[in-house]
C-alpha cells in the first residue's frame, strides 16, 4: 500500500497573529510545517505534497526537504486540500491529509491511521474523548441543555482515505463549498468514517498559548 500525504499549510494564522504564515512559525528552531512533514514520513507515508500561500513558496522550499512537492493553496482549507489532492498524482493507494498546525503529532498516530486503511477502512480519523462537561447555550448565554459526552469525540489529523474515495468525494463537492475537515467531505458522499485513537500531543496550534504549550513539550 503506498501512501501520499497532503499537508494543509496555506493558511495565514490570523489567530496566532505572528509576523509570517503560521506554518512558517518556528518551534524549537524549526518551522511548524517541517515538523508536520517529518511526522508523516516517520509514520510511514511515502511522499508528501504541501499546500502553501502563493507569496511564500520560496520560504517553504527553503524550510522543507527537496523531495516535498509544493503547490499553491486556496482561500479556504477545503480549497487548499482540493489543490493538494489534485497534485498528489495517481500513484498512491491512500491519502493522509494533515494540518501543518499540528507539529507534534506522534508518528504512532500516522501508523494507526495507515493500519486502519490497510485493514480496509475507506476513511479514518484520529479522535479523543471530550473530558469537560459540555453544554448548549441559548442566545442569551444561558445554559439550555447539557450534552451527554460519552459518545462525543474531538477529531484530529492526519485523516486517512482510500485515494479514489477522497478524489470522488471532492469531485462531487460544489466548487466553493467549505467544510471543516476532510472526513466531512467523504461523509457528505455517504462514506462511513472509522476512528482510531488520537493523541493529546497532536493538538492544533491556533492561538499563542498553544505555541507556548508546544514549546514546553519539546523543551529539554
Ligand atoms: N489552511 C490551508 N489553507 C487555508 C486555510 C487554512 O491550507 N486557506 C491550513 C492551515 O495552514 C492549517 C490548517 O489548514 O495548517 C488548519 O487551519 P487553521 O488552524 O484554521 O489555520 P489558519 O487558517 O492559518 O489560522 P486562522 O484560522 O487563525 O487564520
Ligand atoms: Mg483557519
Amino acid at each position: 500500500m503506498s501512501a501520499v500525504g497532503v499537508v494543509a499549510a496555506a493558511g495565514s494564522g490570523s489567530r496566532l497573529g505572528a509576523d509570517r504564515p503560521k506554518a512558517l512559525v518556528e518551534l524549537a528552531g524549526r518551522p511548524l510545517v517541517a515538523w508536520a512533514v517529518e511526522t508523516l514520513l516517520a509514520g510511514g507515508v511515502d511522499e508528501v505534497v504541501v499546500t502553501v500561500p502563493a507569496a511564500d513558496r520560496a520560504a517553504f522550499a527553503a524550510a522543507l526537504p527537496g523531495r516535498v512537492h509544493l503547490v499553491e493553496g486556496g482561500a479556504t482549507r477545503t480549497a487548499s486540500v482540493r489543490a493538494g489532492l489534485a497534485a498528489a498524482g495517481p500513484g498512491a493507494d491512500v491519502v493522509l491529509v494533515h494540518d501543518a498546525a499540528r507539529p507534534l503529532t506522534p508518528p504512532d498516530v500516522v501508523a494507526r491511521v495507515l493500519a486502519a486503511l490497510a485493514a480496509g477502512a475507506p476513511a479514518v480519523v484520529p479522535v479523543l474523548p471530550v473530558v469537560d462537561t459540555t453544554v448548549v447555550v441559548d442566545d442569551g448565554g444561558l445554559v439550555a441543555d447539557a450534552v451527554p459526552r460519552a459518545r462525543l469525540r474531538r477529531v484530529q489529523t492526519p485523516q486517512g482515505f482510500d485515494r479514489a474515495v477522497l478524489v470522488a468525494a471532492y469531485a462531487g463537492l460544489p466548487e466553493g463549498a467549505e467544510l471543516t475537515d476532510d472526513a466531512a467531505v467523504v461523509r457528505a458522499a455517504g462514506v462511513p468514517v472509522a476512528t482510531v485513537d488520537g493523541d493529546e500531543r497532536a493538538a492544533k496550534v491556533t492561538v499563542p498559548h498553544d505555541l507556548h504549550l508546544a514549546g514546553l513539550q519539546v523543551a529539554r
Side-chain angles (χ1 to χ4, degrees):
M1 188 181 79
S2 95
V4 62
V6 172
V7 176
S12 61
S14 55
R15 288 168 290 181
L16 190 61
D19 60 354
R20 64 194 79 176
K22 180 161 71 180
L24 291 175
V25 169
E26 292 192 355
L27 171 64
R30 298 175 61 215
L32 300 187
V33 67
W35 288 89
V37 167
E38 186 180 270
T39 211
L40 287 177
L41 293 171
V45 163
D46 303 289
E47 54 169 314
V48 180
V49 175
V50 177
T51 72
V52 305
D56 300 282
R57 179 184 277 267
F60 276 80
L64 292 167
R67 60 184 284 208
V68 172
H69 187 50
L70 303 184
V71 300
E72 195 175 313
T76 64
R77 185 185 184 283
T78 304
S80 293
V81 173
R82 202 194 274 277
L85 192 57
D93 306 303
V94 300
V95 182
L96 265 61
V97 184
H98 191 38
D99 289 330
R102 299 181 186 274
L104 300 182
T105 305
D108 282 2
V109 178
V110 178
R112 284 198 286 277
V113 170
L114 287 172
L117 293 168
V124 57
V125 296
V127 298
L128 288 175
V130 172
V131 295
D132 292 313
T133 293
T134 301
V135 299
V136 177
V137 295
D138 65 17
D139 289 343
L142 291 174
V143 173
D145 219 346
V147 182
R149 64 172 189 249
R151 293 171 64 187
L152 296 183
R153 300 290 185 272
R154 294 176 285 142
V155 179
Q156 302 184 313
T157 76
Q159 300 186 352
F161 306 91
D162 176 272
R163 186 183 162 279
V165 164
L166 188 61
V167 167
Y170 266 91
L173 190 70
E175 201 61 45
E178 190 179 353
L179 300 180
T180 54
D181 72 352
D182 307 287
V185 176
V186 300
R187 278 196 4 99
V191 177
V193 179
T195 61
V196 293
D197 287 342
D199 193 298
E200 295 290 357
R201 291 168 290 182
K204 186 159 73 75
V205 172
T206 305
V207 296
H209 181 66
D210 301 326
L211 193 60
H212 175 69
L213 289 179
L216 294 176
Q217 280 183 59
V218 293
R220 26 177 102 221

